[in-house]
Each structure stands twice: as C-alpha cells, then as structure tokens.
Amino acid sequence: TAAEHPVWVEFARAMGPIMVPGSQALAEMVKLDESRSTKILDIAASHGMWGIAFAKKYPRASLVALDWKPVLEVTRENAQKAGVGDRFSTIAGSAFEVDIGSDYDLVLIPNFLHHFNMKECVRFLKRVNGALRAGGQVAIAEFVPNPDRVSPPESAGFPLIMLATTPEGDAYTFAEYQKMLGEAGFTNAEAHPLPPISTAVIARKK
C-alpha cells in the first residue's frame, strides 16, 4: 500500500486500543534511567501507543514519533489525550531515508521489520544503532514464530499475509532476529511474550 495512502490513518485509529496491553507490558520490561532526562524514538509510530506507554511511565522521557505526515496527526492526538503532548515531537517521512536524530536511550520498532527482507532489516537496524547513545536499547514488537515456523498459528500464518501484501516481507524467528541484531551492532538480545499474541525482542547497543 502506498506510503501516504489514507488506509494508514484508518489503521492507526483502529489499532490503537488493541495495542494498549502490549505497549504497557513492554514499558514494564524495558528500564530507563529515571535519574535524568531520556529520549525515545518510536519508529512507524502509527497510533503512538508504544511510545506513549513509556512517556507515561517515565515523566522525564521525551518522545519522538516517526511516520508519514497524515498518520502523525493521529499520533499527536493520542499523545495529547494521554497527557504527554508537552514531551512529544514528530519526524515525518520514510524511516529508511529521513534524519532520525541521535542520542536516543531507546528506539521502539513495533510491527515494522516484517515488511522487509533480512538484508533490509539489517540495514535499518544499523541506522537505529547509529541513533542510539552508548548502551542504548532497541525494542522490537513482532509476530515471532517458533523455530519450527508452524507454531504458534497466529505467528506462523503471518508470513502468508506478508507474501500477499509486501514485496519481500516475512515473520522472523528469534534466532533470525538475534542474527540481524548482531550484524547491526547489538548484543544481549532477549525475547519476551507480549499480550495478546506478539513477542518483544530487546537488545542493547554494544
């Protein structure tokens, strides 16, 4: 679907409430330094719930949302409703091409990497690594199938959707994420279940 297509605005409005449990669970898993101001980048932010959960948990965190310009209007609305609008800013455009900034403590990549092949994922993760401060973290939220690639059914069936809707997208196993993250300069990758059916893959910049 074309990047600026109105369907992404509709998608953002529809998916926001569904992502609240997973985003809140992720905000409990990933620890930020509460003794100082921190910076979070939410890639393909859409409804913004992933980043907003962190901004609500960490009062000294500022949140930057990256997405297409029309979608960011929805993100901004949700940030203001959540009471974090004063710590919220946006970057509009392609996550592969725009200047994504630097010195982030955390970069969130929710439901994004499945659109691309592994080579493109590594290329993107290298961009993310370069935008993080030393010791910064990346948190990926995705459908992650088991090594057998046929279970659980929700994650195992997801590659079929990607086959139909993206040029080279796929659902990757945790081992594949470990490999991609390692190639991009990350270490200590961990996988944790996220409600209702996603997985968090969290790693740290070397």
Side-chain angles (χ1 to χ4, degrees), residues 2-5 8 44 66-73 75 91-95 97:
E4 298 277 3
H5 196 285
W8 293 120
L66 189 156
D67 213 310
W68 301 108
K69 190 174 181 181
V71 176
L72 287 170
E73 293 306 310
T75 325
I91 300 171
S94 163
E97 295 170 9

Side-chain angles (χ1 to χ4, degrees), residues 159-170:
L160 297 176
I161 300 171
M162 292 301 94
L163 188 66
T165 59
T166 70
E168 295 184 85
D170 204 349

